[in-house]
Amino acid sequence: MFHRNAPLTVEGRRRLIERCKTRPIAHVAAEMGTRVCFQMGQPVPAVRGTGPARPLQRTAPPTDRDPLPGDHEVGALRRERKWPAARIAFELAADGIPISRRTATRHLWG
């Protein structure tokens, strides 16, 4: 059973194969709004599901942890200088504390 937004039904595939016998495959595929591949010398529409390619991964729940190097400095620079996370990460890297912009953001909002 095909959903109503499916690019090709069984009948649509039959029509696609008939058209490909007399016209270039790429042209027919473009007209029908689909991609075409070959299987055993016959044009076969590339049918893909509408769901995700792989299951979504859940993130681990937050846990208590020891402070990382730069935790205190990130908050202090934000309070004192009102710098954004990118600038804080740049300044800490210059001071020998390598930290990414994303990590600085996580410290500020987490």
Side-chain angles (χ1 to χ4, degrees):
M1 185 68 169
F2 293 95
H3 61 82
R4 73 185 159 108
N5 292 331
L8 293 175
T9 61
V10 175
E11 178 62 24
R13 290 180 190 185
R14 189 192 60 74
R15 276 190 249 138
L16 176 73
I17 292 170
E18 289 299 316
R19 290 179 186 176
C20 287
K21 289 179 180 176
T22 59
R23 301 184 53 220
I25 295 170
H27 295 203
V28 175
E31 290 172 4
M32 298 189 79
T34 187
R35 295 181 302 156
V36 177
C37 61
F38 278 95
Q39 183 179 31
M40 307 266 298
Q42 293 292 321
V44 177
V47 178
R48 295 180 6 184
T50 58
R54 59 188 169 99
L56 301 176
Q57 301 293 319
R58 292 195 179 271
T59 57
T63 59
D64 292 335
R65 61 170 178 79
D66 295 329
L68 295 173
D71 276 355
H72 176 70
E73 290 85 353
V74 170
L77 287 172
R78 178 64 169 208
R79 284 188 300 277
E80 294 168 9
R81 306 283 176 106
K82 305 284 192 243
W83 283 342
R87 177 71 186 268
I88 292 170
F90 177 79
E91 293 295 331
L92 288 177
D95 290 342
I97 303 173
I99 186 172
S100 71
R101 180 202 53 81
R102 177 64 185 107
T103 302
T105 301
R106 197 167 44 243
H107 289 304
L108 293 173
W109 296 98

